[in-house]
Amino acid sequence: MMWQDLIFLAGSVLSIVFLAPTVRDATANIPLGSSVPSMTIGAIYAVTYATMGMTFSAAGSLGVAMMWSLIVSYRSPSPHDGPANVVRFAGSLARQARRTVSDFLSDEEYPAPGQSAD
């Protein structure tokens, strides 16, 4: 066992301890734009640590990802609860991306007054 494995585990345990009050607070509203990426990063770290043989770090990061998944599911400001919030967030992100690309392309096609189209 590497000592770094225990350090990463300790950091993950602290994160879990700090996230617990948010999970318990029924009035907490954490935006999906914060919680979904945090959940995803925790899961990616867990897989990465596992592939490096850092079992304790992987378990700790998986615990953090699970805490964030609970926040995604039950503490988002949306009127809906549950894991479907991840799908809603992904759909919203895709719509925003399409709108941004569409706005960008329409700005290039029809430049603002005083701007050239080159």
Side-chain angles (χ1 to χ4, degrees):
M1 174 187 348
M2 299 184 303
W3 63 270
Q4 293 93 336
D5 199 13
L6 295 176
I7 298 297
F8 289 132
L9 173 62
S12 294
V13 168
L14 281 175
S15 293
I16 291 168
V17 167
F18 295 144
L19 290 172
T22 303
V23 173
R24 293 178 45 159
D25 182 1
T27 63
N29 284 315
I30 309 301
L32 292 174
S34 299
S35 54
V36 171
S38 296
M39 174 192 71
T40 305
I41 290 168
I44 290 169
Y45 282 1
V47 170
T48 303
Y49 287 137
T51 61
M52 295 170 62
M54 300 174 76
T55 309
F56 293 117
S57 298
S61 290
L62 185 61
V64 170
M66 290 172 59
M67 291 297 282
W68 277 112
S69 71
L70 290 172
I71 292 171
V72 165
S73 296
Y74 301 108
R75 298 297 176 248
S76 77
S78 94
H80 307 285
D81 279 347
N85 281 338
V86 175
V87 176
R88 285 187 201 93
F89 175 76
S92 171
L93 205 58
R95 283 189 299 279
Q96 288 176 8
R98 278 194 302 272
R99 191 170 29 245
T100 300
V101 168
S102 174
D103 290 349
F104 177 76
L105 293 176
S106 66
D107 285 348
E108 280 191 355
E109 191 174 330
Y110 304 106
Q115 293 183 345
S116 65
D118 3 73

